[in-house]
Amino acid sequence: MTIKYPKGIAPRAEGEIVKRSKRKINAKVASGNRGMAFEADINNSNAYYKDHDLALITKRPTPINIVKVDYSKGATITQAYFETQSTTDYNGVYKGHYIDFEAKSTHGAASFPLSNIPHQQIEHLERVIAHGGIAFFLIQCVVINETYLVPASFIVKFYRERPRQSIPFADLKTNGYLVNEGYSPRYDYLPIVEEVFLK
């Protein structure tokens, strides 16, 4: 039986030691990708809630209009644009109540920058509150390894009044609620929704 090796790779002699490359691997993860990990954990939490018939909360799709597709590379989108400005990340129903929330991840050492919140999200959440919906932010503070559920009413007020350009973690802790982290669900935020908005 003949073993075919890829071009440029010679078969090793028996007992030959292979030298490993000393090239350094850059282990840094782009901040956007770290936010994606947070989003994936929330998606898994929502899947848990759905599977256990506790709530139906889904990720809102990003509204894009596809202009060009390259079919030579397996239908890869090469040109697209946003149809409308996105509102918030998640919406759904819990015990007959409409829920709408935004997930944010911050790597700041002591505060959450308001520049992370687009103006249209504030306007959208104001409308949700005005119509009696449950609106909040899930904010992951990476440096202190904590995640808070913060009612949108507090964030909207801070955003409108602008006492400063970022919300100190101390204010998030005072006006928000620490979300329990576990294996499944990863972020168990429904008990806080129950306690804060439904009692």
Side-chain angles (χ1 to χ4, degrees):
M1 180 174 148
T2 305
I3 299 173
K4 295 184 178 180
Y5 291 91
K7 282 186 176 181
I9 299 176
R12 284 193 314 230
E14 193 172 322
E16 180 183 353
I17 298 171
V18 179
K19 290 183 179 177
R20 297 208 180 269
S21 169
K22 292 184 179 177
R23 186 178 51 146
K24 288 184 179 178
I25 297 171
N26 187 355
K28 287 185 179 177
V29 179
S31 59
N33 291 338
R34 284 178 281 202
M36 295 298 287
F38 181 46
E39 186 178 283
D41 285 339
I42 294 170
N43 291 344
N44 290 336
S45 299
N46 290 339
Y48 174 91
Y49 291 150
K50 180 183 173 186
D51 292 344
H52 289 78
D53 206 23
L54 298 171
L56 182 61
I57 299 165
T58 57
K59 174 89 172 75
R60 189 180 266 124
T62 304
I64 62 166
N65 193 346
I66 298 168
V67 178
K68 281 186 184 177
V69 178
D70 183 355
Y71 291 101
S72 68
K73 298 177 182 176
T76 303
I77 298 171
T78 57
Q79 188 177 356
Y81 63 89
F82 294 108
E83 287 181 349
T84 57
Q85 291 180 318
S86 62
T87 52
T88 50
D89 289 331
Y90 297 92
N91 68 340
V93 181
Y94 173 61
K95 292 188 175 181
H97 298 273
Y98 176 74
I99 286 182
D100 202 306
F101 70 92
E102 175 67 16
K104 298 288 187 189
S105 182
T106 180
H107 300 273
S111 62
F112 171 73
L114 292 177
S115 59
N116 284 5
I117 308 173
H119 184 72
Q120 73 269 12
Q121 287 181 345
I122 293 295
E123 291 182 336
H124 173 77
L125 290 168
E126 282 178 321
R127 290 189 184 102
V128 171
I129 294 167
H131 285 280
I134 295 170
F136 57 88
F137 283 78
L138 283 182
I139 300 178
Q140 180 189 51
C141 306
V142 175
V143 172
I144 61 173
N145 195 29
E146 292 177 348
T147 300
Y148 288 88
L149 183 152
V150 185
S153 55
F154 168 74
I155 303 281
V156 167
K157 186 173 187 291
F158 200 101
Y159 187 95
R160 293 295 189 199
E161 294 177 357
R162 293 270 174 159
R164 47 179 289 166
Q165 295 303 308
S166 61
I167 303 173
F169 287 166
D171 286 1
L172 292 180
K173 291 179 179 185
T174 302
N175 296 280
Y177 304 85
L178 183 65
V179 178
N180 286 329
E181 296 182 31
Y183 175 70
S184 189
R186 179 74 177 93
Y187 294 104
D188 194 12
Y189 62 86
L190 279 187
I192 299 172
V193 169
E194 180 79 32
E195 184 66 30
V196 174
F197 298 100
L198 301 181
K199 286 203 174 171

